[in-house]
Amino acid sequence: MYLWRVGVLFALLGSAIVVPATNPAAAAPGRLRDLAQAAGVKIGSAVRAAPLNPDPAVGDEDYRDWAREQLSTLTAENELKWDHVEPARGRFNFAAADTIVQFAHETEQTVRGHTLVWHSALPAWVSALSGDQLEAALQTHITSTVSHFGSDVAIWDVVNEPLNDSGSLRSGGSQGFWKDRLGEDYIDESFRWAHAANPTARLYLNEYGIESDSPKARGLYELVKGLLARGVPIHGIGFQTHKLETSRLSGLADSLRRFADLGLEVAITELGVKLLTPAGGDSLGRQADVYGWVTAACLAVPRCVSVTAWGFTDRYSWIPAPGAATMLTDQYVPKPAYYRVRDVLAAGRPAADPVAAWRLDEPAGTIATDASSSPQRHPAQADPGALGHEGRQPFLRAFKGNGIDSGATTAPAESNAMRTNVSYTLSVWIKPASTTGDQVIASQDGANVSAFTFGHTDGRYYLAVPLADTTDAGVDPQRLFSQTPVVIGQWNHVAAVWDNPSGHPRLYVNGVAEPEGPLWNRETWASTGIFHIGESRAGQHFHGSISDLRVYQRALPSTEIKALASPVVGQWGFDGHTGDDSWFHRDAAARNDATVALLWATDRKCQANKAISLTGTQLIDTRGGAPLFTDRSYSLSVWVQLADTDSDQVVLAADGTSISPFYLRLKRGTGDDHRWIFAVLNGSGTQQVVATSEQKAEAGAWTHLVATWSMETGQMQLFVDGTVSGTNTVLSSAAATENGSLHIGVSQLGNLRGAIDDVLVYQQVLTQPEISALYLQYEPSRCQP
């Protein structure tokens, strides 16, 4: 039987490491499959036929027992790939796959068939075919394979990895085999053939690199919308999710929701978390974090139906030690990752909070998907052209209000996004284009009038709630107006709160509470009508951009509203991972992350492994597009500890057309005269303007750097440890490449050797008090012996 040995020493990564972390006695009780069932998902793994074989001379009893006890779904790791089932044309061999299916049948487990169409794992005879012969062979392969198993295989990965990283269909070389030989229709036909062979099977498209907003994720979204529009029988999207221990996967739940709101199931299909080598003592804890984050992301999305790991023990892993990507050691000892998954499953699906949310940066089309975790979905249909304004970051878009006839509304079936007779909060980012007329940000219909209207008029924000659902004369709405004026052409966060117990409405502008309004009639009434974005039933419309609109069914305290109003557009804390902790999910990663290990350092607060350590070879880039517009006002904040001052070293830089639009770096001088440099490339790309620090740069000490540039004044400022240290002026700044990256510790001018912590990016100029506050978060006395 498999062994439940925890806290023992085991050989991993070539050295003895103690399995740390979760105390088994304190972990959530129960089998994974039982906890998953209670949470409304399946938990599974890729498995191999040989260790499942009941013949003791072939099989592995521990492997069989663990799979039987813990898993609710099994995926054939290799046994259903084309080179396995049809090595010679017309000669099918399903024996190995039959072993897996028979085992699953005996243990009441679901089988996932992987995979019918893939550019890899093809037998040589298939590659020699072309034209009608190839199409006929593909149809025969799909039909024969699916028909052989019938209802015993309930789910099929029909098409696997059809896209390039750019989001287009693969073409050229072996990877473009199917599209180049059969054209783009091969995907449609493959699904149709699989459906004809088994009309009850759930059919998936399986892909990697779609776990966050990226060109590939957006390309797949468009591909799938086209499949659905053509009536192709596709039922789900598989997210492979092979990741590193340092991954944060900040945007995974959002990406899952986008595809789910197309009416599809979504699933994690190949989860594995590879340890970077040489691994530090916290590697297993970081691996557990990623397993937990992925499982939690699935549970946060009502239509996410399963989490499948790509192997459950390092004994039979496609990434063996030192990669050690599974939840169990090669001796079946559970790692912290196992207990983390178990605890997340035991917690179940989260309560809906917010109850509805719209990012309003949809890849394309007119459907604004609901980004909340609510089981009741509220997708909003936008008027043609109402999505597509420039968003708060390059590469993102926002709701486009023209002030005349634009808007987005929930359908009657998804109406009543919020209950209006109890406490609620509306949180939203807006960029007004004018203050003309009465402009509505959000509203919800009653039978006769809007149950609330949130907008601005006469240059002030307001929340209006009618006393009754009537158009009778003399029944005026209760209104609360802000004292803070509406600012045109600038992103602002505004929030409206109705606190039912107290009877007080509240407004917030950029996280700051407006004066409390008068006591309102507490008998607010319930509406069950359509929720509107950028319009109302009375015909008012918003002029400008709207982003990140959230509805909470409670009165948020000022601390939460302040957090929602954070102007940060990128935040990398490097607390054991390279994720973006801001709303924008521009996670960072090591360049060439399959081979380059990340190292960790003690941070400025003396916490071990809470800063990123760079030796000149660990190159960190953000993913998914540039995190800020560099041709308008911005601020950069970072803590850095130099290992030496032996050469020029870059702290932060961004992609530009040919030259980075800015550099924040060390400039080596003669002797010990080394300075910090903030360089900005002017708008025409002809000159770099430099602000040089008065203070010398020294190795060994943590230093806080802030660089700001104002589009309005052209002023550049460089702050060192909270104090202005260098200034200059450049009236325009070059734009960063929209699809480019923020480079952390890397540039052609010289890579950093030292440690970096707490990188913050703002699309505004920070004030002196704000910069001082950032610096004062560091208390030097903490780290004194």
Side-chain angles (χ1 to χ4, degrees), residues 377-619:
R377 312 304 295 148
H378 302 97
Q381 177 70 48
D383 295 331
L387 296 174
H389 262 178
E390 180 183 86
R392 287 194 286 152
Q393 274 196 348
F395 196 75
L396 290 184
R397 299 296 177 260
F399 173 86
K400 182 178 181 181
N402 61 15
I404 301 171
D405 57 4
S406 57
T409 60
T410 57
E414 290 84 33
S415 62
N416 195 23
M418 58 185 282
R419 290 179 293 150
T420 54
N421 61 333
V422 296
S423 297
Y424 58 81
T425 300
L426 299 157
S427 165
V428 63
W429 282 87
I430 64 169
K431 184 179 180 181
S434 72
T435 56
T436 302
D438 187 350
Q439 299 186 30
V440 172
I441 300 167
S443 66
Q444 183 164 297
D445 289 350
N448 299 291
V449 296
S450 296
F452 78 87
T453 306
F454 179 32
H456 67 82
T457 187
D458 295 328
R460 296 291 188 271
Y461 298 105
Y462 72 88
L463 175 65
V465 176
L467 291 168
D469 188 7
T470 178
T471 57
D472 292 347
V475 183
D476 295 325
Q478 304 169 113
R479 286 179 179 264
L480 175 65
F481 287 89
S482 71
Q483 292 184 2
T484 301
V486 176
V487 179
I488 296 174
Q490 176 179 308
W491 281 104
N492 296 279
H493 180 266
V494 289
V497 179
W498 165 240
D499 184 14
N500 199 62
S502 73
H504 281 289
R506 297 197 300 274
L507 289 173
Y508 293 79
V509 180
N510 292 323
V512 178
E514 295 288 306
E516 190 174 72
L519 187 68
W520 277 8
N521 175 18
R522 299 190 189 187
E523 298 301 320
T524 55
W525 44 276
S527 68
T528 57
I530 288 172
F531 190 93
H532 297 269
I533 301 171
E535 65 178 1
S536 73
R537 65 177 295 152
Q540 301 111 319
H541 295 268
F542 184 79
H543 188 199
S545 303
I546 302 178
S547 176
D548 190 17
L549 171 57
R550 309 185 193 191
V551 177
Y552 295 85
Q553 208 62 72
R554 58 191 177 93
L556 263 60
S558 58
T559 52
E560 290 189 49
I561 291 175
K562 185 176 181 179
L564 290 171
S566 170
V568 171
V569 295
Q571 179 173 357
W572 297 271
F574 295 121
D575 294 332
H577 62 81
T578 56
D580 178 1
D581 293 318
S582 78
W583 179 80
F584 295 93
H585 306 158
R586 291 292 183 257
D587 286 353
R591 195 179 302 176
N592 303 319
D593 54 15
T595 58
V596 178
L598 293 181
L599 303 176
W600 303 93
T602 299
D603 71 1
R604 65 189 185 279
K605 298 179 182 178
C606 299
Q607 301 177 92
N609 300 313
K610 294 296 185 180
I612 194 76
S613 178
L614 303 176
T615 64
T617 57
Q618 291 80 17
L619 313 179

Side-chain angles (χ1 to χ4, degrees), residues 697-779:
E698 298 179 356
W702 278 104
T703 302
H704 184 229
L705 302 176
V706 174
T708 71
W709 177 70
S710 169
M711 180 176 66
E712 289 74 23
T713 66
Q715 185 178 46
M716 300 166 55
Q717 289 189 296
L718 175 60
F719 295 77
V720 179
D721 290 338
T723 302
V724 176
S725 185
T727 62
N728 211 328
T729 300
V730 57
L731 296 180
S732 63
S733 172
T737 305
E738 182 177 279
N739 294 339
S741 297
L742 175 71
H743 304 296
I744 301 172
V746 54
S747 163
Q748 69 270 27
L749 296 181
N751 298 339
L752 186 78
R753 296 184 298 276
I756 289 181
D757 199 14
D758 289 335
V759 176
L760 296 169
V761 176
Y762 301 81
Q763 199 68 71
Q764 66 181 53
V765 176
L766 295 180
T767 65
Q768 174 71 68
E770 289 170 332
I771 293 170
S772 297
L774 285 174
Y775 171 64
L776 291 174
Q777 290 178 5
Y778 166 48
E779 299 175 15

Side-chain angles (χ1 to χ4, degrees), residues 49-69:
L52 287 180
N53 196 307
D55 183 350
V58 178
D60 182 330
E61 186 178 0
D62 289 346
Y63 188 91
R64 288 169 52 83
D65 288 344
W66 204 93
R68 176 188 301 111
E69 289 296 314

Side-chain angles (χ1 to χ4, degrees), residues 2-7 10 12 18-22 24 30-33 35-36 42-47 63 66-67 69-74 241-243 268-275 283-296 306-321 323-345:
Y2 58 89
L3 305 175
W4 297 98
R5 294 167 290 178
V6 180
F10 68 97
L12 183 65
V18 177
V19 179
T22 313
R31 305 182 302 176
L32 292 183
R33 63 184 295 176
L35 296 171
K42 292 183 180 295
I43 188 76
S45 174
V47 294
Y63 188 91
W66 204 93
E69 289 296 314
Q70 297 293 324
L71 303 176
S72 51
T73 182
L74 306 179
T241 324
H242 297 288
K243 293 297 171 182
I268 306 299
T269 55
E270 303 184 21
L271 175 58
V273 183
K274 181 180 177 181
L275 302 181
S283 291
L284 292 171
R286 290 195 293 267
Q287 183 184 58
D289 287 341
V290 182
Y291 268 98
W293 287 330
V294 172
T295 306
S306 63
V307 176
T308 295
W310 205 247
F312 59 83
T313 170
D314 292 342
R315 177 172 293 189
Y316 306 100
S317 173
W318 77 296
I319 301 178
T326 71
M327 292 187 287
L328 307 179
T329 73
D330 58 2
Q331 298 299 310
Y332 298 97
V333 178
K335 302 176 191 174
Y338 166 81
Y339 294 108
R340 188 68 56 81
V341 170
R342 197 165 83 163
D343 289 346
V344 172
L345 290 174

Side-chain angles (χ1 to χ4, degrees), residues 176-423:
F177 180 82
W178 292 111
K179 189 253 188 183
D180 292 346
R181 303 278 184 102
L182 297 181
E184 298 182 3
D185 291 344
Y186 85 89
I187 297 177
D188 299 48
E189 295 305 314
S190 296
F191 276 95
R192 290 191 172 105
W193 293 329
H195 181 67
N198 181 2
T200 65
R202 309 300 288 172
L203 307 181
Y204 275 66
L205 190 153
N206 195 49
E207 187 58 274
Y208 71 88
I210 58 171
E211 292 82 14
S212 63
D213 190 18
S214 66
K216 178 180 274 191
R218 295 192 171 213
L220 181 60
Y221 187 88
E222 290 305 302
L223 171 64
V224 172
K225 284 208 313 180
L227 295 175
L228 293 171
R230 294 189 295 274
V232 174
I234 180 173
H235 307 115
I237 302 297
F239 287 63
Q240 291 188 12
T241 324
H242 297 288
K243 293 297 171 182
L244 300 174
E245 67 180 72
T246 55
S247 302
R248 180 62 178 90
L249 293 170
S250 307
L252 177 56
D254 272 346
S255 194
L256 288 166
R257 287 188 194 102
R258 276 197 167 128
F259 288 95
D261 277 350
L262 291 175
L264 299 172
E265 297 172 357
V266 289
I268 306 299
T269 55
E270 303 184 21
L271 175 58
V273 183
K274 181 180 177 181
L275 302 181
L276 290 169
T277 56
D282 287 346
S283 291
L284 292 171
R286 290 195 293 267
Q287 183 184 58
D289 287 341
V290 182
Y291 268 98
W293 287 330
V294 172
T295 306
C298 179
L299 292 181
V301 179
R303 294 183 70 95
C304 187
V305 297
S306 63
V307 176
T308 295
W310 205 247
F312 59 83
T313 170
D314 292 342
R315 177 172 293 189
Y316 306 100
S317 173
W318 77 296
I319 301 178
T326 71
M327 292 187 287
L328 307 179
T329 73
D330 58 2
Q331 298 299 310
Y332 298 97
V333 178
K335 302 176 191 174
Y338 166 81
Y339 294 108
R340 188 68 56 81
V341 170
R342 197 165 83 163
D343 289 346
V344 172
L345 290 174
R349 294 193 183 267
D353 190 33
V355 295
W358 299 271
R359 290 185 66 93
L360 301 173
D361 59 350
E362 308 310 314
T366 59
I367 300 297
T369 59
D370 183 352
S372 75
S373 58
S374 174
Q376 182 182 1
R377 312 304 295 148
H378 302 97
Q381 177 70 48
D383 295 331
L387 296 174
H389 262 178
E390 180 183 86
R392 287 194 286 152
Q393 274 196 348
F395 196 75
L396 290 184
R397 299 296 177 260
F399 173 86
K400 182 178 181 181
N402 61 15
I404 301 171
D405 57 4
S406 57
T409 60
T410 57
E414 290 84 33
S415 62
N416 195 23
M418 58 185 282
R419 290 179 293 150
T420 54
N421 61 333
V422 296
S423 297

Side-chain angles (χ1 to χ4, degrees), residues 627-677:
L628 82 163
F629 297 98
T630 56
D631 56 352
R632 60 204 70 178
S633 299
Y634 63 87
S635 298
L636 309 166
S637 170
V638 58
W639 286 88
V640 60
Q641 183 186 53
L642 296 171
D644 60 62
T645 55
D646 296 341
S647 63
D648 292 349
Q649 300 176 47
V650 170
V651 180
L652 297 174
D655 282 329
T657 304
S658 58
I659 302 174
S660 177
F662 71 79
Y663 290 106
L664 182 58
R665 65 188 182 97
L666 166 72
K667 177 64 176 176
R668 176 174 170 76
T670 57
D672 65 348
D673 189 20
H674 316 303
R675 307 285 174 164
W676 298 109
I677 296 290

